[in-house]
Amino acid sequence: MRFVIQRVMGAEVKTDQKVIGKIGKGLLVFVGICETDTKEIADKMLKKLIGLRIFEDENGKTNLDLKTVNGNLLVISQFTLYADCKKGNRPSFVRAGSPEMANTLYRYIIEKGKEALPGIQQGEFGADMKISLINDGPFTVLLDSDEIC
């Protein structure tokens, strides 16, 4: 599982020119799910995400987590995080989880995330989405379950 996490001042996601998710200060998270991912991996990734201290304190140090700053969370499914570009110029997505399996885990991530942060916003799995954001920093972090689990 991979999370690309961007600290934002605000972000929104649209489908069919309609806003389906919008946040203020917080984190925009793109979630990639591979064929070997499980609920246990998702739990560990969520715990790490929610506990990341990537917001600045009164001294300008990145010491504060999402809850401490009353931040919001926007979660977007993105299978292209498992693009394999080793051969040729056309990416392969064979490591990405099947749509059914990935959607089940994506919904699980949203459900479990809401237990910790009730105001989670989300994209629409498998939809053509347009995402707008105001990156804060910029500050972008990659969490890969191969490295933290």
Side-chain angles (χ1 to χ4, degrees), residues 62-74:
T62 52
N63 257 341
L64 306 177
D65 63 22
L66 194 58
K67 287 182 179 180
T68 304
V69 299
N70 294 315
N72 301 291
L73 189 60
L74 174 57

Side-chain angles (χ1 to χ4, degrees), residues 46 50 73 107-120:
L46 272 168
I50 292 169
L73 189 60
R107 286 194 320 260
Y108 177 82
I109 289 166
I110 300 297
E111 178 184 310
K112 286 295 188 178
K114 284 183 178 180
E115 291 175 11
L117 299 163
I120 287 180

Side-chain angles (χ1 to χ4, degrees), residues 28-42:
L28 168 61
V29 182
F30 295 99
V31 177
I33 297 169
C34 82
E35 75 277 358
T36 58
D37 285 330
T38 63
K39 289 180 178 179
E40 291 76 23
I41 290 171

Side-chain angles (χ1 to χ4, degrees), residues 26-111:
L27 300 175
L28 168 61
V29 182
F30 295 99
V31 177
I33 297 169
C34 82
E35 75 277 358
T36 58
D37 285 330
T38 63
K39 289 180 178 179
E40 291 76 23
I41 290 171
D43 289 339
K44 289 177 184 176
M45 293 288 283
L46 272 168
K47 183 177 179 183
K48 180 66 88 171
L49 169 68
I50 292 169
L52 279 178
R53 297 184 319 170
I54 60 176
F55 292 91
E56 294 176 355
D57 64 16
E58 65 280 355
N59 298 315
K61 301 278 187 190
T62 52
N63 257 341
L64 306 177
D65 63 22
L66 194 58
K67 287 182 179 180
T68 304
V69 299
N70 294 315
N72 301 291
L73 189 60
L74 174 57
V75 181
I76 307 290
S77 174
Q78 188 171 354
F79 79 95
T80 60
L81 292 179
Y82 275 96
D84 181 348
C85 300
K86 290 178 185 170
K87 295 181 182 178
N89 292 320
R90 183 177 177 166
S92 168
F93 300 101
V94 296
R95 287 200 57 217
S98 70
E100 183 178 305
M101 174 270 211
N103 190 22
T104 298
L105 266 179
Y106 176 65
R107 286 194 320 260
Y108 177 82
I109 289 166
I110 300 297
E111 178 184 310

